[in-house]
Amino acid sequence: MTVFYSAMKYAVQVNAGPCSGNAGLSAYRFILAALEAGHDVVRVFFYKDGVYHAFRYASPPEDEIQLGRLWSELALDRGVDLAVCISAAQRRGLLCADEARRQGKQDDDLAAGFRIAGLGQWLEAALLADRCLVFA
Amino acid sequence: MKSFLFVMRRPPHSGVRLSETLDALLTAAAFDQRVAVLWLDDGVLQLLARQQPESLALKDTSAIFKALELYEVTELCVERESLQERGLTPEDLILPVRLVGRSEINALIAGFFAVVPD
């Protein structure tokens, strides 16, 4: 028997940080389930305190979930686009190597698999998607 | 063109939260999308007249709301019960808004492609 279903394209936004709620973990699990079910995730846009997911040097205790590492793996192994809002990131002290150099600093705070983007990229993802989800 | 409903439920001036929501709202409007705003619960306080956020070293978000018309954001809805529960009337607000009853909120939300919380 052939099973017919139509794959959906999801745009995901994460607005809460990893230390202040479960929104990030819920988003991660949703994305994983969507991919397993054959759907597409156009982009994950990290906004507001959600940018805290993208800090390279976040080091939770060993016996806690390593959500940052899981996000990186999602990008590197599954090709999910992880975009971090530049203005929200700079406000919170998260500088990618380019921006740090521009400001005369030596940081490179962005974890592997994430990239810096503007709000236009959030909107573009919404326009490309069938559904838009915000985890706040 | 897609439609975006920004649902404002929190009071203003608690950090940069509302400023960041407005940045997203203005981005959607600048890209010529249909953008509407619904104020619910404590979110109605965002529209109160005579705010003085400068004393909290925060931006005056109410000034941005007053500029929404320039971005052709004209669908501005406030839940009637949220106003009443706080002892407010439309005359206390900085903008003319459309009052929507609680029983109509679900249908309003269902009419939009994306619902964005504040």
Side-chain angles (χ1 to χ4, degrees), chain A residues 47-48 91-92 123 127 129, chain B residues 2 20-21 31 33 113:
Chain A
Y47 194 44
K48 301 188 177 178
R91 195 174 242 155
R92 290 163 179 82
L123 190 78
L127 298 185
Chain B
K2 287 190 172 172
E20 292 191 322
T21 304
F31 280 85
Q33 304 303 305
F113 166 72

Side-chain angles (χ1 to χ4, degrees), chain A residues 13 15 47-49 87-89 91-92 119-120 122-123 125-136, chain B residues 1-2 4 6 10 16-25 27-28 31 33 59 113-118:
Chain A
Q13 185 182 352
N15 283 356
Y47 194 44
K48 301 188 177 178
D49 281 356
S87 56
R91 195 174 242 155
R92 290 163 179 82
L119 272 168
W122 161 71
L123 190 78
L127 298 185
L128 292 171
D130 300 309
R131 292 282 188 278
C132 216
L133 290 164
V134 184
F135 291 83
Chain B
M1 188 204 280
K2 287 190 172 172
F4 295 77
F6 286 78
R10 299 173 192 250
V16 297
R17 169 178 284 278
L18 181 55
S19 286
E20 292 191 322
T21 304
L22 286 169
D23 286 345
L25 187 157
T27 300
F31 280 85
Q33 304 303 305
K59 281 188 189 161
F113 166 72
V115 178
V116 186
D118 68 346

Side-chain angles (χ1 to χ4, degrees), chain B residues 37-114:
Chain B
V37 190
L38 169 64
W39 287 271
L40 287 176
D41 302 336
D42 279 347
V44 301
L45 302 175
Q46 295 174 10
L47 294 181
L48 266 189
R50 295 179 298 281
Q51 297 176 35
Q52 296 175 296
E54 301 80 15
S55 59
L56 293 168
L58 290 168
K59 281 188 189 161
D60 185 3
T61 44
S62 67
I64 298 175
F65 286 128
K66 280 188 270 190
L68 287 182
E69 202 178 355
L70 298 174
Y71 288 82
E72 293 175 30
V73 178
T74 54
E75 295 176 79
L76 308 174
C77 305
V78 169
E79 190 196 57
R80 184 181 288 112
E81 287 84 347
S82 293
L83 274 187
Q84 286 169 349
E85 287 162 6
R86 286 159 185 80
L88 300 172
T89 68
E91 287 71 46
D92 296 309
L93 308 181
I94 53 172
L95 291 172
V97 294
R98 179 158 76 88
L99 293 182
V100 180
R102 190 161 284 168
S103 60
E104 306 161 64
I105 295 291
N106 281 0
L108 175 72
I109 289 174
F112 287 84
F113 166 72

Side-chain angles (χ1 to χ4, degrees), chain A:
Chain A
M1 191 181 86
T2 312
V3 178
F4 292 100
Y5 73 99
S6 54
M8 295 279 274
K9 286 185 288 205
Y10 290 101
V12 176
Q13 185 182 352
V14 177
N15 283 356
C19 302
S20 53
N22 281 337
L25 181 61
S26 298
Y28 172 79
R29 288 180 169 166
F30 171 84
I31 291 162
L32 213 56
L35 294 175
E36 294 299 326
H39 300 296
D40 288 332
V41 174
V42 178
R43 180 169 296 143
V44 187
F45 192 81
F46 295 86
Y47 194 44
K48 301 188 177 178
D49 281 356
V51 304
Y52 285 116
H53 289 275
F55 274 89
R56 177 188 296 273
Y57 298 113
S59 309
E62 289 290 337
D63 59 349
E64 290 181 15
I65 184 170
Q66 306 292 311
L67 190 53
R69 191 187 303 156
L70 294 173
W71 282 120
S72 290
E73 286 170 5
L74 204 56
L76 300 173
D77 301 343
R78 312 291 291 266
V80 176
D81 184 14
L82 305 181
V84 181
C85 175
I86 185 165
S87 56
Q90 288 187 12
R91 195 174 242 155
R92 290 163 179 82
L94 189 161
L95 302 181
C96 64
D98 282 353
E99 183 58 27
R101 209 173 301 120
R102 205 178 65 78
Q103 298 197 16
K105 297 184 172 70
Q106 294 177 349
D107 299 49
D108 178 11
D109 305 309
L110 202 60
F114 291 86
R115 67 183 180 92
I116 290 288
L119 272 168
Q121 297 261 305
W122 161 71
L123 190 78
E124 184 197 58
L127 298 185
L128 292 171
D130 300 309
R131 292 282 188 278
C132 216
L133 290 164
V134 184
F135 291 83

